[in-house]
Amino acid sequence: MSWMQREIGLSPRPRGFHLITREVVEAMPELGAIRVGLLHLLIQHTSASLALNENASPDVRRDFEAWSDAAVPERARYWTHTVEGPDDMPAHVKAALFGPSLMLPVSDGRLALGTWQGIYLCEHRDRGGSRSLVATLWGEPS
Amino acid sequence: MSWMQREIGLSPRPRGFHLITREVVEAMPELGAIRVGLLHLLIQHTSASLALNENASPDVRRDFEAWSDAAVPERARYWTHTVEGPDDMPAHVKAALFGPSLMLPVSDGRLALGTWQGIYLCEHRDRGGSRSLVATLWGEPS
Amino acid sequence: MSWMQREIGLSPRPRGFHLITREVVEAMPELGAIRVGLLHLLIQHTSASLALNENASPDVRRDFEAWSDAAVPERARYWTHTVEGPDDMPAHVKAALFGPSLMLPVSDGRLALGTWQGIYLCEHRDRGGSRSLVATLWGEPS
């Protein structure tokens, strides 16, 4: 049994959905030594989230942003928490909808994802700045 | 400490929300030997998802489908990724909303779910075909 | 390696989003003895959920409720499961959207959350009554 925990710093991204699979895997070289286990990722913020979805077409990520903006609209009449700008409260709701964490199985030293699955950083603020992940890896060594 | 990981193949289902608790439990007989632990399920697809909800009334599962179709509509003006059909991009969004995985506590050899909780396979495509889960079980043996 | 599992009973709350971080941490004093690990929380119900979001402003939690009610409306024409009242079926959908569980990293005896992150009990019924969590903690002792 082996445990590893590390903070992964993500550089600022524009508002939208961004593929970060490679960045996460490269930050976790210890993955290679796990026969069977799990990798947990938590984003330590309340206006950005993590998702697992289609890793090929940039259209898909653009449409995620378009749907999010339609479903959680800025300047809706029911918002009262508006002091941090019109993008702030919608960002909180989007962050909770997509969720703050991912749990990914590890198999023979690699993430056991489907062919088309990639890790998304979902940046819901106009200027969210750097984002921080806590990565926790544990499992049975090879 | 004991680890077990297995792929569970699910036969094709029509679009909608389907109860698969029994199928999952029967595929994981090792559950019975765990005193305290966890079962993780990941669906390796980007247009189907897993949820935990009411296990009794088929009405509830039908209403999940009705709400999903209203909240993530086909043929909305903002979709650009339309090449794989009108059900494709909504399926990606629904999959990320309900989420690709479940983590379920195991207690004295059984899933420690509430009385009314059951595992849903949420099939968001018209013809999604077979779906594959990666099940990872670990914990303290009885 | 150490495992701990316990049921945490939550007293009845009114419909809405409620901060329960302190209540959860106080129910899990064993957190203090974990160097690196994880805490899993499952709510054993199908009409309440758990989320991780902004822990400071009550406005944010009130706006979560307002958005949820707009996005998953009572008395929509597509509901067929109405026998348990107009708040019941929307509560099931909201519960699946925000999700039944949280997985939180533990680092040096404390939850490794971001500064602004707090645990929400999302009560989606008008009178949901007491709610029960299964908390599972495991990790490497200090």
Side-chain angles (χ1 to χ4, degrees):
Chain A
M1 186 64 185
S2 117
W3 281 87
M4 209 277 297
Q5 196 172 62
R6 170 177 303 142
E7 198 172 309
I8 303 176
L10 300 175
S11 56
R13 256 83 169 188
R15 179 167 162 170
F17 291 69
H18 305 276
L19 205 52
I20 59 165
T21 316
R22 185 175 306 182
E23 200 169 333
V24 168
V25 169
E26 288 180 354
M28 301 297 290
E30 296 86 349
L31 272 170
I34 299 289
R35 192 186 67 80
V36 47
L38 287 149
L39 173 65
H40 179 258
L41 302 171
L42 175 81
I43 194 163
Q44 291 186 302
H45 305 270
T46 62
S47 55
S49 58
L50 297 174
L52 198 64
N53 213 271
E54 212 260 24
N55 59 18
S57 171
D59 286 2
V60 170
R61 299 195 295 280
R62 191 170 55 208
D63 284 0
F64 262 94
E65 174 70 5
W67 178 83
S68 302
D69 291 345
V72 192
E74 298 192 2
R75 303 177 200 279
R77 54 164 180 73
Y78 45 72
W79 302 128
T80 63
H81 181 79
T82 54
V83 65
E84 296 176 58
D87 62 323
D88 179 60
M89 191 59 225
H92 288 309
V93 172
K94 293 170 187 173
L97 282 181
F98 291 109
S101 71
L102 287 176
M103 181 70 90
L104 306 172
V106 180
S107 190
D108 293 328
R110 312 184 65 164
L111 294 179
L113 303 180
T115 311
W116 303 105
Q117 288 182 313
I119 303 170
Y120 286 11
L121 166 66
C122 320
E123 176 54 72
H124 304 302
R125 295 299 310 263
D126 290 343
R127 286 175 201 79
S130 304
R131 299 297 195 175
S132 161
L133 304 182
V134 179
T136 307
L137 174 69
W138 74 110
E140 203 171 81
S142 306
Chain B
M1 185 64 185
S2 116
W3 281 88
M4 211 276 298
Q5 195 172 62
R6 170 178 304 142
E7 199 172 309
I8 302 176
L10 300 174
S11 56
R13 256 84 169 185
R15 179 166 162 170
F17 291 69
H18 305 277
L19 206 50
I20 59 166
T21 316
R22 186 176 305 182
E23 200 170 333
V24 168
V25 170
E26 289 180 354
M28 302 297 290
E30 296 86 350
L31 272 170
I34 300 289
R35 192 186 67 80
V36 47
L38 287 149
L39 173 64
H40 180 258
L41 302 170
L42 174 81
I43 194 163
Q44 292 186 301
H45 305 271
T46 63
S47 55
S49 57
L50 297 175
L52 198 65
N53 213 271
E54 213 261 22
N55 59 19
S57 171
D59 285 2
V60 171
R61 299 195 295 280
R62 191 171 55 207
D63 284 0
F64 262 94
E65 175 69 5
W67 178 83
S68 301
D69 291 345
V72 192
E74 298 192 359
R75 303 179 199 278
R77 54 164 181 72
Y78 45 71
W79 301 130
T80 63
H81 181 78
T82 54
V83 65
E84 296 176 58
D87 62 322
D88 179 60
M89 192 57 226
H92 288 310
V93 171
K94 294 170 187 173
L97 282 181
F98 291 108
S101 70
L102 288 176
M103 180 71 89
L104 307 172
V106 180
S107 191
D108 293 328
R110 310 183 66 164
L111 294 180
L113 302 181
T115 311
W116 304 105
Q117 289 182 312
I119 303 171
Y120 286 10
L121 166 66
C122 319
E123 175 55 71
H124 303 302
R125 295 298 311 261
D126 292 341
R127 286 173 201 79
S130 305
R131 299 298 196 174
S132 162
L133 303 183
V134 179
T136 308
L137 174 70
W138 73 112
E140 203 170 82
S142 306
Chain C
M1 185 65 185
S2 117
W3 280 88
M4 211 275 297
Q5 195 172 62
R6 170 177 303 142
E7 198 172 309
I8 303 175
L10 301 175
S11 56
R13 256 84 168 186
R15 179 166 162 171
F17 290 69
H18 306 277
L19 205 51
I20 59 166
T21 317
R22 185 175 305 180
E23 200 170 333
V24 168
V25 169
E26 288 179 355
M28 301 296 290
E30 296 86 350
L31 272 170
I34 300 289
R35 193 186 65 80
V36 48
L38 287 149
L39 173 65
H40 180 257
L41 302 170
L42 175 80
I43 193 162
Q44 292 185 301
H45 304 272
T46 63
S47 55
S49 57
L50 297 174
L52 197 65
N53 213 270
E54 213 261 23
N55 59 18
S57 171
D59 286 2
V60 170
R61 299 195 295 279
R62 191 170 55 210
D63 284 1
F64 262 95
E65 175 69 4
W67 178 84
S68 300
D69 291 346
V72 192
E74 297 192 1
R75 303 177 200 279
R77 53 162 182 73
Y78 45 72
W79 301 128
T80 63
H81 181 80
T82 54
V83 66
E84 297 177 57
D87 62 321
D88 180 60
M89 192 58 226
H92 288 309
V93 172
K94 293 169 187 173
L97 281 181
F98 291 108
S101 71
L102 287 176
M103 181 71 89
L104 307 172
V106 180
S107 189
D108 293 328
R110 311 185 65 165
L111 294 180
L113 303 181
T115 311
W116 304 106
Q117 287 182 312
I119 303 172
Y120 286 11
L121 166 65
C122 319
E123 176 54 73
H124 304 302
R125 294 301 308 264
D126 291 343
R127 286 173 201 80
S130 304
R131 299 299 196 174
S132 162
L133 303 183
V134 180
T136 307
L137 174 69
W138 73 112
E140 202 170 83
S142 306

Coordinates of all heavy atoms in Angstrom, one line a residue, chain C residues 85-139:
Chain C
G85 N -46.3 15.0 -3.6 CA -46.3 16.5 -3.4 C -45.5 17.2 -4.5 O -44.6 16.5 -5.1
P86 N -45.7 18.4 -4.7 CA -45.0 19.2 -5.8 C -43.5 19.3 -5.6 O -42.8 19.6 -6.6 CB -45.7 20.5 -5.9 CG -46.4 20.6 -4.6 CD -46.7 19.3 -4.1
D87 N -43.1 19.2 -4.3 CA -41.6 19.4 -4.1 C -40.8 18.1 -4.2 O -39.6 18.1 -4.2 CB -41.4 20.0 -2.7 CG -41.9 19.1 -1.6 OD1 -43.0 18.5 -1.8 OD2 -41.2 18.9 -0.5
D88 N -41.5 17.0 -4.4 CA -40.9 15.7 -4.4 C -40.0 15.4 -5.6 O -38.8 15.1 -5.5 CB -41.9 14.6 -4.1 CG -41.2 13.2 -4.1 OD1 -40.4 13.0 -3.2 OD2 -41.5 12.3 -4.9
M89 N -40.6 15.4 -6.8 CA -39.9 15.0 -8.0 C -38.7 16.0 -8.3 O -37.6 15.6 -8.5 CB -40.8 14.8 -9.1 CG -40.2 14.2 -10.4 SD -39.4 12.5 -10.1 CE -37.9 12.7 -11.0
P90 N -39.0 17.4 -8.1 CA -37.9 18.3 -8.3 C -36.7 18.0 -7.3 O -35.6 18.1 -7.6 CB -38.5 19.7 -8.0 CG -39.9 19.5 -8.4 CD -40.3 18.1 -8.1
A91 N -37.1 17.5 -6.1 CA -36.1 17.2 -5.1 C -35.2 16.1 -5.6 O -34.0 16.0 -5.4 CB -36.7 16.9 -3.8
H92 N -35.8 15.1 -6.2 CA -35.0 13.9 -6.7 C -34.0 14.4 -7.8 O -32.8 14.0 -7.8 CB -35.9 12.9 -7.3 CG -36.7 12.1 -6.4 ND1 -36.2 11.5 -5.3 CD2 -38.1 11.8 -6.3 CE1 -37.1 10.8 -4.6 NE2 -38.3 11.0 -5.2
V93 N -34.5 15.3 -8.7 CA -33.6 15.7 -9.7 C -32.4 16.6 -9.2 O -31.3 16.4 -9.5 CB -34.3 16.5 -10.8 CG1 -33.4 17.2 -11.8 CG2 -35.3 15.6 -11.6
K94 N -32.8 17.5 -8.3 CA -31.8 18.4 -7.7 C -30.7 17.5 -6.9 O -29.5 17.8 -6.9 CB -32.4 19.4 -6.7 CG -33.3 20.4 -7.3 CD -34.1 21.2 -6.2 CE -35.1 22.1 -6.8 NZ -36.0 22.7 -5.7
A95 N -31.2 16.5 -6.2 CA -30.3 15.6 -5.5 C -29.3 14.9 -6.4 O -28.1 14.8 -6.0 CB -31.2 14.6 -4.7
A96 N -29.8 14.5 -7.6 CA -28.8 13.9 -8.5 C -27.9 14.9 -9.1 O -26.7 14.5 -9.4 CB -29.6 13.1 -9.5
L97 N -28.4 16.1 -9.3 CA -27.5 17.1 -10.0 C -26.3 17.5 -9.0 O -25.2 17.6 -9.5 CB -28.3 18.4 -10.3 CG -29.2 18.3 -11.5 CD1 -29.9 19.7 -11.7 CD2 -28.3 18.0 -12.7
F98 N -26.7 17.8 -7.8 CA -25.6 18.2 -6.9 C -24.8 17.0 -6.4 O -23.7 17.0 -6.0 CB -26.2 19.0 -5.7 CG -26.6 20.4 -6.2 CD1 -28.0 20.7 -6.3 CD2 -25.7 21.3 -6.6 CE1 -28.4 21.9 -6.7 CE2 -26.1 22.6 -7.0 CZ -27.5 22.9 -7.1
G99 N -25.5 15.8 -6.3 CA -24.8 14.6 -6.0 C -24.9 14.1 -4.6 O -25.0 15.0 -3.7
P100 N -24.9 12.8 -4.4 CA -25.1 12.3 -3.0 C -23.9 12.2 -2.2 O -23.9 11.7 -1.0 CB -25.7 10.9 -3.3 CG -24.9 10.5 -4.6 CD -24.8 11.8 -5.4
S101 N -22.7 12.5 -2.7 CA -21.5 12.2 -1.9 C -20.4 13.2 -2.2 O -20.4 14.0 -3.2 CB -21.0 10.8 -2.2 OG -20.4 10.7 -3.5
L102 N -19.5 13.3 -1.3 CA -18.3 14.1 -1.4 C -17.1 13.3 -1.0 O -17.2 12.4 -0.1 CB -18.3 15.3 -0.5 CG -19.3 16.5 -0.8 CD1 -19.2 17.5 0.3 CD2 -18.9 17.1 -2.1
M103 N -16.0 13.5 -1.7 CA -14.7 12.9 -1.3 C -13.7 14.0 -1.0 O -13.5 14.8 -1.9 CB -14.2 12.0 -2.4 CG -13.0 11.3 -2.1 SD -13.2 10.0 -0.9 CE -13.6 8.6 -2.0
L104 N -13.2 14.0 0.2 CA -12.4 15.2 0.6 C -11.0 14.7 1.1 O -10.9 13.8 1.9 CB -13.1 15.9 1.8 CG -14.5 16.3 1.5 CD1 -15.2 16.8 2.8 CD2 -14.6 17.3 0.4
P105 N -9.9 15.3 0.5 CA -8.6 14.9 1.0 C -8.3 15.3 2.4 O -8.8 16.3 2.8 CB -7.7 15.6 0.0 CG -8.5 16.7 -0.6 CD -9.9 16.3 -0.5
V106 N -7.5 14.4 3.1 CA -7.1 14.7 4.4 C -5.6 14.9 4.4 O -4.9 14.1 3.8 CB -7.5 13.6 5.4 CG1 -7.0 13.9 6.8 CG2 -9.0 13.4 5.4
S107 N -5.1 15.9 5.0 CA -3.6 16.2 5.0 C -3.2 16.7 6.4 O -3.8 17.6 6.9 CB -3.4 17.3 4.0 OG -2.0 17.4 3.7
D108 N -2.3 16.0 7.0 CA -1.7 16.3 8.4 C -2.9 16.6 9.4 O -2.9 17.6 10.1 CB -0.9 17.6 8.2 CG 0.4 17.3 7.5 OD1 0.9 16.1 7.6 OD2 0.9 18.2 6.8
G109 N -3.8 15.7 9.4 CA -4.9 15.7 10.4 C -6.0 16.7 10.1 O -6.9 16.8 11.0
R110 N -6.1 17.3 8.9 CA -7.1 18.2 8.6 C -7.7 18.0 7.2 O -7.0 17.5 6.3 CB -6.6 19.7 8.7 CG -5.9 19.9 10.0 CD -5.5 21.4 10.1 NE -6.7 22.2 10.3 CZ -6.6 23.5 10.7 NH1 -5.5 24.0 11.0 NH2 -7.7 24.2 10.8
L111 N -8.9 18.4 7.0 CA -9.4 18.4 5.6 C -8.7 19.4 4.8 O -8.5 20.5 5.2 CB -10.9 18.8 5.6 CG -11.9 17.8 6.3 CD1 -13.3 18.3 6.2 CD2 -11.8 16.4 5.7
A112 N -8.2 19.0 3.6 CA -7.4 19.8 2.8 C -8.3 20.6 1.8 O -8.2 20.4 0.6 CB -6.3 19.0 2.0
L113 N -9.1 21.4 2.3 CA -10.1 22.2 1.5 C -9.5 23.6 1.2 O -8.6 24.1 1.9 CB -11.4 22.4 2.3 CG -12.1 21.2 2.7 CD1 -13.4 21.5 3.4 CD2 -12.4 20.3 1.5
G114 N -10.0 24.2 0.2 CA -9.6 25.6 -0.1 C -10.2 26.5 1.0 O -11.2 26.2 1.7
T115 N -9.6 27.7 1.1 CA -10.0 28.7 2.1 C -11.5 28.9 2.1 O -12.1 29.1 3.2 CB -9.3 30.0 1.8 OG1 -7.9 29.8 1.6 CG2 -9.5 31.0 2.9
W116 N -12.1 29.0 1.0 CA -13.5 29.4 0.9 C -14.5 28.2 0.8 O -15.7 28.4 0.6 CB -13.7 30.3 -0.3 CG -12.9 31.5 -0.2 CD1 -11.7 31.8 -0.9 CD2 -13.0 32.6 0.8 NE1 -11.2 33.0 -0.5 CE2 -11.9 33.5 0.5 CE3 -13.9 32.9 1.8 CZ2 -11.8 34.7 1.3 CZ3 -13.8 34.1 2.5 CH2 -12.7 35.0 2.2
Q117 N -13.9 27.0 0.8 CA -14.8 25.8 0.6 C -15.4 25.3 1.9 O -14.7 25.1 2.9 CB -14.0 24.7 0.0 CG -13.7 24.9 -1.5 CD -12.9 23.8 -2.1 OE1 -12.0 23.3 -1.6 NE2 -13.4 23.4 -3.3
G118 N -16.7 25.1 1.9 CA -17.4 24.5 3.0 C -18.4 23.4 2.5 O -18.8 23.4 1.4
I119 N -18.7 22.5 3.4 CA -19.7 21.4 3.1 C -21.1 21.9 3.2 O -21.5 22.4 4.3 CB -19.4 20.2 4.0 CG1 -17.9 19.8 3.9 CG2 -20.3 19.1 3.7 CD1 -17.5 18.7 5.0
Y120 N -21.9 21.7 2.1 CA -23.3 22.1 2.2 C -24.2 20.8 2.3 O -23.9 19.8 1.6 CB -23.7 22.7 0.8 CG -23.3 24.1 0.5 CD1 -22.4 24.8 1.3 CD2 -23.9 24.7 -0.6 CE1 -22.0 26.1 0.9 CE2 -23.5 26.0 -0.9 CZ -22.6 26.7 -0.2 OH -22.2 28.0 -0.5
L121 N -25.1 20.9 3.2 CA -26.3 20.0 3.2 C -27.3 20.7 2.3 O -27.8 21.8 2.7 CB -26.8 19.7 4.5 CG -28.2 19.0 4.6 CD1 -28.2 17.6 4.0 CD2 -28.8 19.0 6.0
C122 N -27.7 20.1 1.2 CA -28.7 20.7 0.3 C -30.0 19.9 0.6 O -30.2 18.8 0.2 CB -28.3 20.5 -1.1 SG -26.5 20.8 -1.4
E123 N -30.9 20.6 1.3 CA -32.2 20.0 1.6 C -33.2 20.4 0.6 O -33.6 21.6 0.5 CB -32.6 20.5 3.0 CG -34.0 20.0 3.5 CD -34.2 18.5 3.3 OE1 -33.6 17.7 4.2 OE2 -34.9 18.0 2.4
H124 N -33.7 19.5 -0.2 CA -34.5 19.8 -1.3 C -36.0 19.6 -1.1 O -36.8 20.0 -1.9 CB -34.1 19.0 -2.6 CG -32.7 19.2 -2.9 ND1 -32.1 20.4 -3.2 CD2 -31.6 18.3 -3.0 CE1 -30.8 20.3 -3.5 NE2 -30.5 19.0 -3.4
R125 N -36.4 19.0 0.1 CA -37.8 18.9 0.4 C -38.2 20.0 1.3 O -37.4 20.6 2.1 CB -38.0 17.5 1.2 CG -37.8 16.2 0.4 CD -38.6 16.1 -0.8 NE -40.1 16.2 -0.7 CZ -40.9 15.3 -0.5 NH1 -40.5 14.0 -0.4 NH2 -42.2 15.5 -0.5
D126 N -39.5 20.3 1.3 CA -40.1 21.3 2.3 C -39.9 20.8 3.7 O -39.5 21.6 4.6 CB -41.6 21.5 2.0 CG -41.8 22.2 0.7 OD1 -40.9 22.8 0.1 OD2 -43.0 22.1 0.2
R127 N -40.2 19.5 3.9 CA -40.0 18.9 5.3 C -39.3 17.6 5.1 O -39.9 16.6 5.1 CB -41.3 18.7 6.0 CG -42.0 20.0 6.4 CD -43.4 19.8 6.9 NE -44.1 21.1 6.9 CZ -44.7 21.6 5.8 NH1 -44.6 21.0 4.6 NH2 -45.3 22.8 5.9
G128 N -37.9 17.7 5.0 CA -37.1 16.5 4.7 C -36.9 15.7 6.0 O -36.5 14.5 5.9
G129 N -37.0 16.3 7.1 CA -36.7 15.5 8.4 C -35.3 15.3 8.6 O -34.4 16.0 8.0
S130 N -34.9 14.4 9.5 CA -33.5 14.1 9.8 C -32.9 13.5 8.6 O -33.5 12.8 7.8 CB -33.4 13.1 11.0 OG -34.1 13.7 12.1
R131 N -31.6 13.7 8.4 CA -30.9 13.1 7.3 C -29.7 12.4 7.9 O -29.1 12.8 8.9 CB -30.4 14.2 6.3 CG -31.5 15.0 5.7 CD -32.5 14.1 4.9 NE -33.3 14.9 4.0 CZ -34.1 14.4 3.1 NH1 -34.2 13.0 3.0 NH2 -34.9 15.1 2.3
S132 N -29.3 11.3 7.2 CA -28.2 10.5 7.7 C -27.1 10.4 6.7 O -27.3 10.2 5.5 CB -28.8 9.1 8.0 OG -27.8 8.1 8.0
L133 N -25.8 10.6 7.2 CA -24.6 10.5 6.4 C -23.9 9.2 6.8 O -23.8 8.9 8.0 CB -23.7 11.6 6.6 CG -24.2 13.1 6.4 CD1 -23.0 14.1 6.6 CD2 -24.7 13.2 5.0
V134 N -23.3 8.5 5.9 CA -22.3 7.5 6.2 C -20.9 8.1 5.9 O -20.6 8.5 4.8 CB -22.4 6.2 5.3 CG1 -21.3 5.2 5.7 CG2 -23.8 5.6 5.5
A135 N -20.1 8.2 6.9 CA -18.8 8.8 6.8 C -17.7 7.7 6.8 O -17.8 6.8 7.7 CB -18.5 9.8 7.9
T136 N -16.8 7.7 5.8 CA -15.8 6.6 5.8 C -14.5 7.4 5.7 O -14.3 8.2 4.8 CB -16.0 5.7 4.6 OG1 -17.3 5.2 4.6 CG2 -15.0 4.5 4.6
L137 N -13.6 7.1 6.6 CA -12.3 7.7 6.7 C -11.2 6.6 6.6 O -11.3 5.6 7.3 CB -12.2 8.5 8.0 CG -10.8 9.1 8.4 CD1 -10.5 10.3 7.5 CD2 -10.8 9.6 9.8
W138 N -10.2 6.9 5.8 CA -9.1 5.9 5.7 C -7.9 6.6 5.3 O -7.9 7.7 4.6 CB -9.4 4.7 4.9 CG -9.4 4.9 3.4 CD1 -8.5 4.4 2.5 CD2 -10.3 5.7 2.7 NE1 -8.8 4.9 1.3 CE2 -9.9 5.6 1.3 CE3 -11.5 6.4 3.0 CZ2 -10.6 6.2 0.3 CZ3 -12.2 7.0 1.9 CH2 -11.7 6.9 0.6
G139 N -6.7 6.1 5.7 CA -5.5 6.8 5.3 C -4.3 6.3 6.1 O -4.4 5.2 6.8

